[in-house]
Amino acid sequence: MPGAERGRMAELYEAHAPDAARLAYLLTGDRALAEDLVHEAFVRLFGRFRDLRHPDAFRAYLRTTVVNLARSHFRRRKVERTYVEREGRAPEPVPADPGGRHEMWEALQRLQPRQRAAIVLRYYEDLTEAQTAEVLGCAVGTVKSLVSRGLDRLRAEIPRGG
């Protein structure tokens, strides 16, 4: 890859990696995994950089790639859990978070991955329902349903102060 393209990828990384890492962290709840997903997303986009017709759309491509990688991660984890349950072995306990987590964060992490992704894209990334549907690869009605059910579950789990 010529130096100019390498320099452009470095610029794109510096400009977009922090936002992509925050998105991945909100989707996964794991900083190390989030960083891995972002790096993987850039590696995948690096190979397609020459084919990118609209360089201004890089952020959207990156966001979609991060969401898809997170979804793939959760699918693999589900398969692994099913295997472990079938084999009768207990999974290793998850280490406690020494800093503690906020109740909302915990509730968000208990949502189904697609519900969490829809809520994060709609409210954290501030995407429209149509943009969220495009990133998730589903219909707008599905996004509405995912967000509605996810918010209902969050409301049920988090008592209101007052």
Side-chain angles (χ1 to χ4, degrees), residues 42-151:
F42 270 92
V43 167
R44 289 182 182 203
L45 290 174
F46 185 76
R48 297 181 179 165
F49 184 66
R50 291 182 190 172
D51 300 330
L52 195 60
R53 292 184 184 150
H54 305 286
D56 296 338
F58 183 82
R59 184 171 186 239
Y61 284 113
L62 179 62
R63 182 187 301 123
T64 299
T65 303
V66 168
V67 169
N68 287 337
L69 288 170
R71 289 168 67 186
S72 293
H73 167 77
F74 286 114
R75 275 194 300 271
R76 280 191 309 275
R77 236 175 65 185
K78 183 177 179 181
V79 168
E80 290 168 1
R81 270 195 313 267
T82 302
Y83 174 78
V84 167
E85 288 170 6
R86 188 175 60 231
E87 294 297 313
R89 288 177 270 177
E92 295 182 27
V94 177
D97 179 17
R101 294 188 182 198
H102 187 268
E103 193 172 16
M104 174 60 94
W105 175 250
E106 290 174 347
L108 185 64
Q109 293 307 304
R110 286 190 296 269
L111 291 177
Q112 294 295 320
R114 281 182 53 118
Q115 287 177 343
R116 181 172 51 246
I119 288 172
V120 166
L121 290 169
R122 282 286 289 131
Y123 298 107
Y124 175 76
E125 289 289 311
D126 199 28
L127 298 183
T128 65
E129 290 170 339
Q131 291 169 324
T132 301
E134 185 178 329
V135 170
L136 293 177
C138 63
V140 172
T142 303
V143 169
K144 290 179 182 181
S145 175
L146 288 168
V147 168
S148 176
R149 289 180 183 169
L151 291 177

